[in-house]
Amino acid sequence: MKEFFSKRLPRRDVFRGSALGFLGSFLPGSAQAAPSKGLTLGSTLYESIGVKPLINARGTFTIISGSTMLPEVRAAMTEAAQHHVHIDEMMAAIGARLAELTQAEFGMVTCGCSAAITHATAACIAGGNPDLHVRLPNLTGFAKDEVIIPRHSRNVYDAAVRAVGAKIVEASTVEELDLAFGPRTAMIYILAGPNAESGPLTTQVICDMAKQRNVPVFVDAAAEILTVPNVHLAKGATLVAYSGGKCIRGPQAAAILLGEKNWLQAAWLNSAPHHAFGRALKVGKEEIMGMLAAVEMWPKRDHKAEWKEWEARLSTIADRARKVDGVTAQIKQPSDDLSNRTPQLVLTWDGTKLGITGSEMRQLLYDTDPRIVAAGGSGGQQSTLSIVPYQMMPGEEKIVGERIYSLLSKPPAMAKTAPNSGTPASVGGKWKVQLDFGRSSATHSLVLQQDAGKLGGTHRGEFYSGPLTGQVAGNAVTFRSSHRVHGTSLGYDFKGSVENGQMKGTVNLGEYGTAQFTARRA
């Protein structure tokens, strides 16, 4: 959902963007499951284990389970589960059929797009040599162990490259890229999107330079629509990967890797059922056949009709919301970016007049019945709420519209936290911080600079550090920090109190949950 790493929203999960407040609602303990009475098959499947399903008005984020599979995909997986096949034979046939459907040279199904990145990296580093495959991720003695990533493409999925043991080399200009190439260069990784189509290092420029040096190029197009013929391969990319559980509407735990046959065969040798590094990234026959069914359906789907249906859903919601005095609605069309292509509804109102802000609305939609995940919300006088339609089921637009109308027309009384009064506690200086994660702990350090009730300074962890900002009101203290890590960042949101010369409280770690902290002066 990933902004941690770039100027645009992520294509795979919600965690691009330090959205610590809203993300807390997804974490364990925020929405406690009811006691389970045992699994019941049918429409109450999730409720039977105490989990409430969601209306997805946000998009294909992994944390809210991506997309829903097409009926043809479900049918293919059910049928595939009832037979035995030789996996190597099946993947060879799948590769040939994917080539026919996509006009790529060959294809492969992986257990998600992150796995496709790892398999591609392993292939480019070890080729088809089993002597090398079984040594991964120990690259001692390997001829090639470096992967170049343009700075605009650094992101949290770098981990799928680094898992193989590869060293990342960054470049942000043509000159830096030219210097980055060397005898140890195994591959170039590009994250598809606007950042890869502007500036000095476009996909085309990178592919042209890589071709001159016989270096393969991998493009991560996880959330993009599938283009036939493929736009990235046409620019000279060697391999490109697409998530199955997004706009293609295949299995959530599947993806396709397309490109040159020799590289794909090497990637497959590194994958299960073969006993190499990629053995842990096994994809089953059910996902393989389901993924193929989704790709088979791609050219048969009426994409224009789907788009009109999405717009109609947004119009239904907008019409209902506009019944509330002061609410305006606008349906926004996407840019040229191929990722998560969908129209979006933005509702706007004066939060002070209606008595509810966009961020409060978004949280209420998630916390109450029916449970709705909106795409975004902002608070204050200029309040907004964003709705994305393309993962909503038929009829859900009426439910969403009615719920929004209800909250805007008769907003519940919002609990307001009384501000702490009194002289701000003195917290300036150096602190030693103990973080308790439940089954482990860590020691961090703080340097707090205090100006009355305002805080600045530095937060240093075990390996990374970053600036912090916050405030002190009476004995209550809150501050945040963000630590840049590779192509992502780690966010820490401290909230506690000052007592007897110590600070104690909780730390919201975003997607990584929460921790308790105790700080003493160093």
Side-chain angles (χ1 to χ4, degrees):
M1 92 305 235
K2 239 185 153 127
E3 162 112 1
F4 278 178
F5 335 118
S6 70
K7 295 181 181 178
R8 65 189 180 93
L9 286 175
R11 75 269 194 253
R12 289 208 280 261
D13 53 32
V14 300
F15 300 120
R16 287 195 176 180
S18 189
L20 293 173
F22 184 62
L23 287 179
S25 64
F26 288 124
L27 299 173
S30 60
Q32 297 293 339
S36 172
K37 295 181 179 179
L39 182 67
T40 302
L41 300 182
S43 61
T44 59
L45 178 75
Y46 290 110
E47 290 92 334
S48 73
I49 60 167
V51 176
K52 247 186 199 179
L54 309 165
I55 292 178
N56 183 354
R58 187 167 194 206
T60 58
F61 295 94
T62 299
I63 192 67
I64 51 174
S65 63
S67 63
T68 54
M69 294 186 294
L70 295 167
E72 294 82 0
V73 173
R74 297 197 299 269
M77 293 180 72
T78 298
E79 187 63 34
Q82 300 178 59
H83 307 277
H84 289 92
V85 292
H86 192 289
I87 300 296
D88 279 335
E89 293 175 355
M90 177 175 63
M91 192 59 84
I94 292 286
R97 181 56 183 156
L98 286 175
E100 294 174 3
L101 291 167
T102 66
Q103 298 181 27
E105 189 174 310
F106 209 64
M108 170 181 164
V109 177
T110 67
C111 67
C113 210
S114 188
I117 299 170
T118 297
H119 289 317
T121 307
C124 293
I125 286 176
N129 186 344
D131 266 1
L132 301 182
H133 276 157
V134 297
R135 287 180 57 80
L136 297 176
N138 177 7
L139 300 188
T140 303
F142 278 60
K144 297 180 184 294
D145 58 1
E146 294 180 353
V147 173
I148 298 173
I149 303 182
R151 193 156 295 140
H152 62 61
S153 287
R154 293 303 303 271
N155 67 86
V156 71
Y157 302 103
D158 288 2
V161 175
R162 291 183 286 108
V164 185
K167 174 186 175 183
I168 304 297
V169 180
E170 276 193 12
S172 57
T173 66
V174 171
E175 293 75 21
E176 287 179 2
L177 179 58
D178 187 52
L179 292 172
F181 283 108
R184 307 197 72 83
T185 304
M187 184 182 88
I188 300 179
Y189 168 97
I190 300 173
L191 176 63
N195 292 337
E197 301 307 324
S198 61
L201 289 184
T202 63
T203 299
Q204 187 69 67
V205 168
I206 293 169
C207 289
D208 290 345
M209 293 179 69
K211 186 176 182 180
Q212 295 171 11
R213 296 160 177 82
N214 200 29
V215 172
V217 176
F218 171 89
V219 175
D220 180 354
E224 288 194 350
I225 60 172
L226 182 60
T227 51
V228 181
N230 190 271
V231 293
H232 304 295
L233 297 179
K235 290 174 183 175
T238 316
L239 298 164
V240 60
Y242 292 86
S243 173
K246 300 201 183 325
C247 58
I248 300 176
R249 293 188 62 189
Q252 175 67 11
I256 52 171
L257 180 60
L258 306 172
E260 294 184 17
K261 186 173 183 178
N262 286 342
W263 288 115
L264 283 165
Q265 288 176 325
W268 175 241
L269 289 174
N270 182 70
S271 175
H274 314 115
H275 295 88
F277 178 79
R279 184 67 173 81
L281 305 176
K282 179 169 68 174
V283 59
K285 62 183 183 293
E286 297 82 7
E287 286 79 17
I288 294 171
M289 296 307 295
M291 190 69 246
L292 177 61
V295 178
E296 293 271 4
M297 288 302 300
W298 183 258
K300 299 176 183 177
R301 287 164 59 183
D302 189 337
H303 297 285
K304 289 183 179 179
E306 288 180 359
W307 196 276
K308 288 180 180 178
E309 177 61 29
W310 298 339
E311 290 178 326
R313 289 174 186 166
L314 294 182
S315 293
T316 297
I317 298 169
D319 289 345
R320 190 64 178 133
R322 277 194 290 250
K323 298 290 184 184
V324 179
D325 248 358
V327 177
T328 61
Q330 181 184 8
I331 296 177
K332 294 186 175 181
Q333 300 297 333
S335 64
D336 292 335
D337 186 6
L338 297 175
S339 288
N340 295 310
R341 283 188 64 79
T342 171
Q344 182 176 187
L345 172 66
V346 178
L347 301 175
T348 306
W349 68 92
D350 186 332
T352 58
K353 286 184 178 179
L354 292 189
I356 187 168
T357 68
S359 35
E360 289 170 339
M361 273 278 292
R362 189 185 186 206
Q363 193 67 56
L364 274 171
L365 288 170
Y366 181 80
D367 287 339
T368 57
D369 232 2
R371 208 171 182 196
I372 301 165
V373 184
S378 63
Q381 187 172 3
Q382 181 78 3
S383 283
T384 64
L385 184 75
S386 301
I387 299 292
V388 165
Y390 88 133
Q391 291 307 313
M392 293 170 63
M393 295 292 99
E396 289 182 341
E397 69 276 8
K398 294 180 181 178
I399 299 172
V400 172
E402 189 57 41
R403 187 64 183 137
I404 289 173
Y405 171 81
S406 174
L407 289 174
L408 287 174
S409 59
K410 295 180 180 179
M414 304 305 297
K416 304 295 180 183
T417 304
N420 278 47
S421 57
T423 304
S426 176
V427 296
K430 297 180 180 179
W431 295 79
K432 183 178 180 180
V433 186
Q434 187 77 11
L435 273 70
D436 181 3
F437 303 108
R439 298 294 295 179
S440 63
S441 61
T443 302
H444 291 198
S445 63
L446 302 171
V447 177
L448 297 180
Q449 299 163 353
Q450 184 173 359
D451 180 6
K454 294 182 179 179
L455 290 180
T458 304
H459 170 204
R460 184 174 297 279
E462 293 182 301
F463 301 101
Y464 309 103
S465 64
L468 66 83
T469 58
Q471 59 185 6
V472 185
N475 69 337
V477 58
T478 58
F479 54 91
R480 290 183 177 186
S481 68
S482 181
H483 299 182
R484 292 293 298 175
V485 183
H486 309 299
T488 180
S489 64
L490 299 176
Y492 296 83
D493 193 356
F494 290 81
K495 184 177 182 179
S497 59
V498 184
E499 300 173 10
N500 302 320
Q502 296 183 1
M503 287 190 289
K504 292 183 178 180
T506 59
V507 189
N508 189 326
L509 304 170
E511 65 174 301
Y512 302 108
T514 59
Q516 302 298 311
F517 82 92
T518 303
R520 297 176 174 84
R521 290 191 179 274

